[in-house]
Every structure is written in structure tokens, then in C-alpha cells.
Amino acid sequence: MRTRRAAAAIAALLSVTVPVMAAAGCSTEPTPSNDRTRSTVSTATKTGTGDVRTDLEPLTKRFGALGTPVSATWMSGTLGGEAPGPSTYWIDAVVELTPDAASALRSTSPQPTTESPDVEDGVRAAIPSGQLLRSEALDAKFAQGSFRAKAYLAADSDTVVLVALGQ
């Protein structure tokens, strides 16, 4: 009799718990959707050392579409607090590209945007003045491994701004 009651209790618990977990979207996979990326960035706290970096290799390793950049100003860190488990990393970067690399990115037909890149203050000053261009196809050029990025291409220079997340 106790075994039946225990089984019934477990079944009742699972009937409540499993749908709640499914509705909560329990997943460790990175989210490729730009809308979800934007939402995550705006609700989670970016943490990092505060160091502004100029080395190129960590960026070119993660984003092949950069080619061999001329220079970069960037920062990185993790999202959220000290919770155990996989971390979500962020990278905010302003990268000066070679003319060939910039031309390849322009082939994605980005369109003018009034949206401003949501980057950390240490990177913000490096964003070129003037019109920025965006497209989903441009973003797709920076989807590599677990990283996804919102990419903004300067209309008047060979500069790209990346707001990236990955695991």
C-alpha cells in the first residue's frame, strides 16, 4: 500500500514539475536568436575586470569574419553572478577591418539603423561617429561555435562593432 502511495505522489510531483521546467526553458544551449540575446544582455549584469584590451588573437579566434583586423578596442567578462554551472561570456568590441574584410561584410546588404550598440563604457568611445548598418545576415557572419553577435558595420569606415555572447 505504501509503495502505491509513494508512486502516486511521485507521479503527481512529476506532472507538476516537468511542465514547469519545460515552460521555463531549461537549456544549456546558447540562444542563436538576436531577440533573446538582446533580452539576456539587458537583464543580466555584465561582470569583468574592466580592462580595455587591444590584442587581436582572442577576437580572430572566435570570429573568423574579422579576417586579419588592423586594430581593436574590446572588453569581455561573464554575465550574471557566481552561480555554478556553465558561464555565458560577453564580448563588446570595436574592430577596424581591412578593406577586403569590410567589403565582404557589406555584401550581406546591411541597412541603416538608429539602434545604438549596447557596449560597456570602455568600448563606447571607440564606436565610429556616423551611420551604422545592421542585418541578420551580417549577424550570421559572427555566429561561430557557441558565440552569437549583433554586428554593426560603419557606413563610412571599415569598422565593425560587435556585441557578442557565447559559452
Side-chain angles (χ1 to χ4, degrees):
M1 187 71 161
R2 278 191 172 155
T3 305
R4 284 187 184 165
R5 282 189 199 150
I10 290 171
L13 179 62
L14 287 175
S15 71
V16 173
T17 305
V18 171
V20 168
M21 289 174 65
C26 295
S27 174
T28 59
E29 293 299 311
T31 304
S33 166
N34 292 325
D35 292 335
R36 295 271 314 265
T37 301
R38 180 173 41 250
S39 173
T40 302
V41 171
S42 65
T43 59
T45 303
K46 289 180 176 178
T47 59
T49 64
D51 293 340
V52 176
R53 299 175 63 174
T54 59
D55 51 325
L56 299 173
E57 190 269 335
L59 296 175
T60 59
K61 180 174 77 173
R62 287 176 180 84
F63 306 110
L66 293 175
T68 306
V70 175
S71 65
T73 300
W74 63 283
M75 297 174 73
S76 67
T78 59
L79 289 182
E82 299 295 318
S87 293
T88 299
Y89 297 93
W90 61 268
I91 297 173
D92 292 348
V94 177
V95 184
E96 183 182 348
L97 305 170
T98 63
D100 288 344
S103 179
L105 295 179
R106 282 191 180 86
S107 73
T108 65
S109 302
Q111 298 298 309
T113 184
T114 57
E115 182 181 335
S116 296
D118 185 18
V119 297
E120 290 296 298
D121 290 341
V123 174
R124 190 174 324 281
I127 296 175
S129 60
Q131 182 68 58
L132 294 176
L133 311 172
R134 283 203 24 77
S135 71
E136 287 185 20
L138 179 61
D139 292 348
K141 292 281 191 177
F142 294 96
Q144 187 170 324
S146 71
F147 272 85
R148 304 292 180 262
K150 289 184 73 174
Y152 302 80
L153 186 61
D156 299 328
S157 69
D158 295 333
T159 304
V160 67
V161 180
L162 299 176
V163 180
L165 294 175
Q167 290 183 343

